[in-house]
Amino acid sequence: MKANNTHLHLILREQTKLLFEHLPFVLYGVMAASAGLVAVLWQTSQDATLLLWLLAVYLLTGLRWLGRRRFLQQGHHFDPKYWIKTAIAFTAASGVLWGIAGVLFFSTEPLVLITLTIFLAAMVAGAVSSHSCHTPAFAAFALPASLPFIARCIAEASTFYVVLGTVSLVYVLINIHYGRNLQNMVIQSIRLRFQNAELVEELTMQKRVAEQASAAKTRFLAAASHDLRQPVQAIELLIDALGTDLANHPSKGLLNRIQEAGHGLRNLLNTLLDSAKVNSAAITAKPRHIQLEPLLRRVCQELAPQARLKNLDIRVASTKACGYSDPALLELILRNYIENAIKYSHKGRILVGCRRLGEFIRIEVHDMGIGIPTSAQETVFQEYYQLGNPERDKAKGLGLGLYIADSLSRLLNHDLGVRSTVGKGSMFYVTVPLGKSSHLIDVPHHAPANLTPLRGKTVLVIDDDDMVRASVSEMLSRWECNTVAAENAEAALRILVAQGKMPDAIVADYRLQTKCNGMQAIQSLRSQLGNVPAVILTGDTGASRVQEANQSGFKLLHKPLSGVQLREALSELIGQASA
């Protein structure tokens, strides 16, 4: 009930505002019509009466104008009940003056009669539009303006005048009915406006809540990405270190199975976090012109060890093509394509290449795997869908890779799809706009060189996680490296000075408990030790982190990484420094 009363009060306010907003046009019309009526009837020997009546109309017009000014001075703090009554009183007074004219100037002379009829009918009709927002205000003018003239016609007691009076009465009643319909439309429009305003306010609130939730999800994903990858990283490196010790041990087979489980855990973790980022809209595309071959070769080189375990050969067709896309997100799409090809292929090779299609470049990943039935070629991009895995074997993944690829392609506005023949293999593709080589941005990238021996090299490890520091140190010891491990740059510098060592390379985690991050820690150490080669480890796979690392000039490795990847990175860094 209270809400209903509130709506009625708001509607009354709007009706009052409309009456006073329309008032200038009403007053102009009244002044013109009254002057016209006097001009037409000037020859009826009622000059003084006409002038007095016209003066009264103009005086009332002036009062109504002053009333409007006072209303406007109230601003938004006016009392609608008081001012609606004031408006009705003014319209009633105007109606009375016009009603007086209908009696005072009444004559059986045809010209006068026609003039009065036309002017009164015009005033009643004009008041419909100007006062349609509030029927009582219209009726307050129409009835006193017309009824005296109607009564005067009927008082003549002749058929013509009775008919004229009756027709005039019907005309007035029809206009009142029409005015009431217009009022209902105006009120409905006002209600809809209020409802729309409430809906906009509600949607704004929901958007604000959703943005806050999205920001919270983004913070959670960043923390989860780092915290979950830390123990997985430690497990990965410890297993690699143990693999060196048990190379010829009977338990090597058991360790291989543990290693496979660790790889599965790493892949599942990466997939889940990437899927969560897609679903929470925590990814922002930042497209630019990129050369495609280096990107394709980098992804294939990183995934080559997985392919070799299944005796698969990955090849990249040479191309000079440039595309326009977000390199980090495009790389994630292609990574999912190639991992999917490795997963479902048991022989042959995987070929990655580009094909020019007008103003677009189609990047294709061909495999010789089991193939996909035509009926399932759209379904494979759905969330959690897996072909040939009804038992939901986690070793075969979660069915999120192609879903992530599809979601990212929608974000990038890239076309993607698959062509496949059962038993012969599949071709997954993503189509990107053609890039321009003249718009390429130089991004530090170095082709992998021959592995530089790490024996006797001093590697500084900075990580605030004891387990990760221990696992990296353990892995480095297998390569006969001298390891210095610390939780931050200050501690690292103290240890180096105490031991009298100069690091040949620095491995730093991006997210540290101190105020500075890994990049800042490296820069701080470089200011003291010189231009020491450095690599950053991070559990955050966000595109912004990749861009930030590229701009810093440091090599970026994503956790969890294998011992092979770490060794290749360190060998490359140290080899370049000594070249």
Side-chain angles (χ1 to χ4, degrees):
M1 181 64 73
K2 185 176 180 180
N4 189 45
N5 290 336
T6 301
H7 277 148
L8 291 176
H9 179 77
L10 292 174
I11 290 172
L12 187 62
R13 284 180 60 88
E14 293 301 310
Q15 289 176 299
T16 306
K17 287 168 61 176
L18 287 173
L19 283 175
F20 282 97
E21 285 176 3
H22 294 162
L23 190 57
F25 305 100
V26 173
L27 297 183
Y28 296 148
V30 168
M31 293 172 66
S34 58
L37 178 62
V38 169
V40 174
L41 299 181
W42 188 253
Q43 304 298 327
T44 60
S45 303
Q46 301 186 62
D47 300 352
T49 307
L50 286 169
L51 288 176
L52 288 173
W53 178 81
L54 183 62
L55 179 61
V57 171
Y58 275 54
L59 286 174
L60 179 61
T61 300
L63 290 174
R64 296 179 73 180
W65 188 269
L66 291 175
R68 180 178 180 273
R69 286 188 60 184
R70 186 181 170 193
F71 169 79
L72 294 177
Q73 290 173 355
Q74 302 291 312
H76 297 287
H77 306 291
F78 65 91
D79 180 5
K81 292 183 179 180
Y82 168 79
W83 284 103
I84 201 77
K85 290 179 181 177
T86 301
I88 292 174
F90 277 135
T91 57
S94 180
V96 168
L97 285 178
W98 282 94
I100 291 173
V103 175
L104 194 62
F105 307 133
F106 185 85
S107 172
T108 57
E109 183 180 341
L111 178 61
V112 175
L113 187 62
I114 291 172
T115 299
L116 283 175
T117 303
I118 291 174
F119 272 83
L120 290 174
M123 292 301 297
V124 169
V128 173
S129 59
S130 60
H131 296 76
S132 60
C133 60
H134 193 60
T135 302
F138 169 67
F141 173 81
L143 293 177
S146 59
L147 289 180
F149 176 77
I150 293 170
R152 183 64 182 80
C153 287
I154 295 175
E156 287 294 319
S158 67
T159 303
F160 173 77
Y161 290 101
V162 170
V163 170
L164 179 60
T166 303
V167 170
S168 299
L169 179 62
V170 172
Y171 173 80
V172 172
L173 295 176
I174 289 174
N175 275 275
I176 292 175
H177 178 73
Y178 179 58
R180 186 178 179 184
N181 290 340
L182 288 177
Q183 174 192 249
N184 292 337
M185 293 173 63
V186 170
I187 291 175
Q188 183 64 21
S189 175
I190 293 172
R191 283 176 175 165
L192 287 174
R193 186 152 54 102
F194 288 146
Q195 290 174 2
N196 288 338
E198 291 174 355
L199 181 59
V200 168
E201 183 178 356
E202 182 180 351
L203 290 175
T204 302
M205 181 62 69
Q206 290 179 356
K207 180 182 177 182
R208 189 178 299 113
V209 171
E211 289 174 347
Q212 292 173 350
S214 178
K217 285 182 179 180
T218 302
R219 291 192 298 269
F220 167 77
L221 287 171
S225 180
H226 176 268
D227 295 343
L228 291 177
R229 292 177 197 269
Q230 290 288 78
V232 176
Q233 175 64 84
I235 293 172
E236 187 91 14
L237 293 180
L238 289 173
I239 290 175
D240 284 348
L242 190 59
T244 303
D245 295 345
L246 300 180
N248 300 311
H249 195 277
S251 298
K252 185 63 167 64
L254 179 60
L255 181 64
N256 289 338
R257 297 187 64 181
I258 295 174
Q259 190 172 36
E260 290 177 7
H263 289 162
L265 176 61
R266 179 186 63 185
N267 293 335
L268 291 177
L269 176 61
N270 289 336
T271 302
L272 283 171
L273 289 173
D274 290 336
S275 176
K277 284 187 176 183
V278 169
N279 289 333
S280 66
I283 298 177
T284 303
K286 296 180 180 178
R288 60 180 175 86
H289 298 271
I290 53 175
Q291 199 164 1
L292 294 175
E293 184 173 348
L295 185 150
L296 301 179
R297 292 195 181 279
R298 183 170 65 253
V299 176
C300 290
Q301 286 168 358
E302 291 181 7
L303 297 177
Q306 294 184 31
R308 285 195 292 269
L309 291 175
K310 299 185 69 174
N311 296 319
L312 298 173
D313 180 27
I314 297 183
R315 297 184 184 179
V316 178
S318 180
T319 178
K320 295 182 179 179
C322 295
Y324 183 75
S325 181
D326 184 306
L329 302 184
L330 180 61
E331 180 177 328
L332 186 53
I333 293 174
L334 296 173
R335 185 182 299 276
N336 282 312
Y337 276 177
I338 298 171
E339 286 181 341
N340 189 74
I342 295 172
K343 188 186 305 178
Y344 290 101
S345 298
H346 304 292
K347 62 179 181 179
R349 68 186 180 193
I350 297 169
L351 177 63
V352 182
C354 299
R355 190 185 302 274
R356 174 79 176 267
L357 298 174
E359 296 300 316
F360 295 89
I361 296 291
R362 190 170 71 193
I363 306 172
E364 302 176 353
V365 177
H366 296 257
D367 66 57
M368 302 172 67
I370 62 175
I372 304 170
T374 304
S375 59
Q377 289 182 14
E378 291 186 6
T379 315
V380 291
F381 292 100
Q382 294 180 3
E383 198 170 14
Y384 300 114
Y385 180 84
Q386 285 183 295
L387 192 66
N389 188 18
E391 70 278 9
R392 304 302 298 173
D393 181 4
K394 295 299 182 293
K396 297 181 180 180
L398 295 174
L400 289 172
L402 295 180
Y403 164 74
I404 292 172
D406 181 64
S407 300
L408 292 176
S409 71
R410 294 176 188 274
L411 176 65
L412 295 166
N413 198 26
H414 294 345
D415 179 45
L416 94 172
V418 60
R419 297 176 183 173
S420 182
T421 303
V422 176
K424 293 185 177 181
S426 304
M427 186 274 286
F428 284 87
Y429 66 86
V430 58
T431 305
V432 305
L434 185 65
K436 298 180 180 179
S437 58
S438 59
H439 290 65
L440 292 176
I441 301 175
D442 291 333
V443 177
H445 177 72
H446 308 283
N450 293 329
L451 292 181
T452 300
L454 299 180
R455 177 183 296 178
K457 301 297 183 180
T458 299
V459 179
L460 172 60
V461 179
I462 302 176
D463 198 304
D464 57 6
D465 189 293
D466 295 337
M467 187 183 301
V468 174
R469 285 202 309 273
S471 62
V472 174
S473 300
E474 193 69 33
M475 190 74 253
L476 291 171
S477 69
R478 297 303 188 275
W479 305 327
E480 301 183 27
C481 292
N482 299 316
T483 306
V484 176
E487 61 182 4
N488 54 51
E490 292 78 7
L493 190 59
R494 287 196 301 269
I495 297 173
L496 288 171
V497 171
Q499 296 181 1
K501 293 182 178 179
M502 173 65 70
D504 295 291
I506 301 174
V507 178
D509 185 34
Y510 178 84
R511 189 184 291 254
L512 301 174
Q513 291 182 355
T514 54
K515 293 182 179 179
C516 66
N517 56 37
M519 288 189 294
Q520 294 167 336
I522 294 172
Q523 290 166 349
S524 174
L525 288 169
R526 279 184 164 186
S527 66
Q528 302 289 328
L529 305 174
N531 194 25
V532 182
V535 61
I536 296 173
L537 304 184
T538 180
D540 186 350
T541 58
S544 61
R545 186 70 63 246
V546 176
Q547 184 179 14
E548 187 178 2
N550 287 333
Q551 291 174 348
S552 71
F554 300 130
K555 186 176 183 63
L556 184 71
L557 295 177
H558 290 292
K559 296 178 181 179
L561 76 161
S562 66
V564 173
Q565 291 173 307
L566 180 59
R567 180 166 187 171
E568 288 179 352
L570 289 174
S571 296
E572 181 182 349
L573 286 174
I574 295 174
Q576 291 169 356
S578 59

